[in-house]
Amino acid sequence: MSSEIINIQYEEPTLVDIVTLLALLTLLQLARWSTQKLFNAGLLGQITIGIIFGPLAHWLVTQSQQTILVLGYVALVLIVFQAGLDLDPNHFLKTFPQASATALVGILTPIALSFAFFNFAFPLLPTKQQFAVAVALSSTSLGTTFNLIQSRHKTSPSTSFNSDSIPPNPQHAIITSSLTTTLTTAALIDDIVALVLLSVLLSLGDKSSQSSSTGMGWIIGRPILASFLIATLSPLVAIAIRTSLKSAKSSTRANRSHDSHRDHAKDSKKDGKKWLSKLSWDRLQRETKLDLAICFAAGVLSAFLAIAYYSGTTMLLGAFVAGAFLFLLDPPSPQRETPSYTITREDMHENIFRQAFEAKVGVIQHYILTPFFFCSIGFTIPFLELWTKEVVWKGIVYVAFMTVAKIVAGFTCLTPALKSILASWWRKVRDSRRKTINKPPNAKEEEQEIDLQEAGQATSRRDQVEGEAPPASDLEREEHHRSSPSPSSRPPSPDQVPTPTTPSPSPPPPPPPLHLLLQQSLFLGLSLVPRGEIGLLVLQLANSRDLGLLTDQSAYLVGVWAVIGCTVLGSLLVGAWVGRM
């Protein structure tokens, strides 16, 4: 039976559709500007506009909402992709242990507090349903987190995430590139683990997967293994490609310099190939380079999205690794050989893919795609069902629990201070033990006797000096001065010969002061509070009729309350914290 192909006919849109979309775009910009001025959190206004146009007033039809939701997810992919482009590998490797600890605490603490809350508020709720809501609240909104980091700089729409990599006073800067890298990595790990747990929940709710021969170990291990392989192999491939390109470029330059010294008789053979040199990358105009770079970046991004999707992990990880892959292909480097202490930003060769993204996509992402992303979050909120008495008070309590759970995760920044305190305490204990072990039982009496003996010897020497012959005359002193060699002409004694000394290794820099670490911990914890799109995605998939993982509607609404409340409260607190600096 042949399927019929239906072609869409071009029809002029109605005036209502055009005016509604124009009003949506305009109000999204006005809401972002007003809430950014008032609360330093422009995304709250865009979420509010999405609630008004979607579940509250129904000014947009379902098809339009679904289209905006897809465009919003494209914006999320681009936001994460830009974060990978702006990632500094040195900061990433240095902060990865701390980011992993932060992510681990930020996952386990919400899950533990969620079980404690549901045992109190919903004592009859099954454990599987409690775990489904806990997984949703263990995530972190990547889009909200990156948007808050960008709003910290208050610059153009295409501001990079690591633009504060050289703060004016690194010792006393609160928000540094290392802290933002830790925040980015921790938020990404949170979402990867949440989506891995979501895949486990989906497999538990899918009856067909339970009836198949696929083991539970493979269901759980497949996303973890895929995430690990994508995150570890991709940088190695990028470095290998960059090394081979450098060697090919250097060999080409060597061949050109060798050809330039040949006889002029062979120039006629070489004239026919001069058009090939015009195709060199260095000879292309800047706009042509940016166009080719953005096309190549789109292909790489699509490839990594497909790899992540079909391997069973989240596409957001694929977007992040794609950005890091392109960064490693063309890392920033000095354009000319200058001393390291005189290198400025003008001397640095900037990544061509980052330039292309900022020039070709940055404005569209800032004014259209990102507002659609936060507006789509408002579309998915069951706003009118959230205002019953039971849901309201339980939701407020759950918001408080989940806010505290993420703030606790931020205090992993105190690890350097705790290490230094423990190291100094252990050093004092070790020195005191050595003194007590090496000191004889009557050491104090011996020290007193030695002091008395030294004092007596000093007085006797002083008496001998006073009883010596009177000083010589001026003539004798002058003759003695002439006969004795000057100190500069005397040969140096063996004790005075300078011995070459090896420079001692510089001690490690001291950790930042405690009050600065407390402020950084609070900022990190508050930035992890928003849940946003990932939390709503997990809740809505668990609440779907096909799976039936979350059948209790009250528990689902309380979970939605917590996701929205944490997103709003976290954005407000981070905005207030950034505004006071």
Side-chain angles (χ1 to χ4, degrees), residues 434-447 450:
R434 286 179 179 177
K435 289 180 180 179
T436 55
I437 292 173
N438 297 329
K439 185 178 293 186
N442 53 354
K444 292 184 178 180
E445 297 178 357
E446 293 180 358
E447 289 178 357
I450 292 172

Side-chain angles (χ1 to χ4, degrees), residues 243-301:
T243 305
S244 61
L245 288 177
K246 277 187 177 181
S247 61
K249 191 174 182 179
S250 61
S251 62
T252 303
R253 287 179 178 177
N255 292 332
R256 287 180 180 177
S257 63
H258 179 69
D259 292 340
S260 63
H261 296 290
R262 289 183 179 179
D263 298 331
H264 294 285
K266 298 182 180 181
D267 289 343
S268 57
K269 297 180 180 179
K270 199 167 56 177
D271 289 338
K273 298 182 180 180
K274 283 185 177 180
W275 64 275
L276 291 175
S277 63
K278 297 181 180 180
L279 297 179
S280 175
W281 177 261
D282 297 331
R283 295 175 179 267
L284 295 178
Q285 295 182 356
R286 184 176 184 274
E287 286 298 322
T288 306
K289 289 182 179 179
L290 295 180
D291 291 337
L292 293 176
I294 199 66
C295 292
F296 182 77
V300 171
L301 177 60

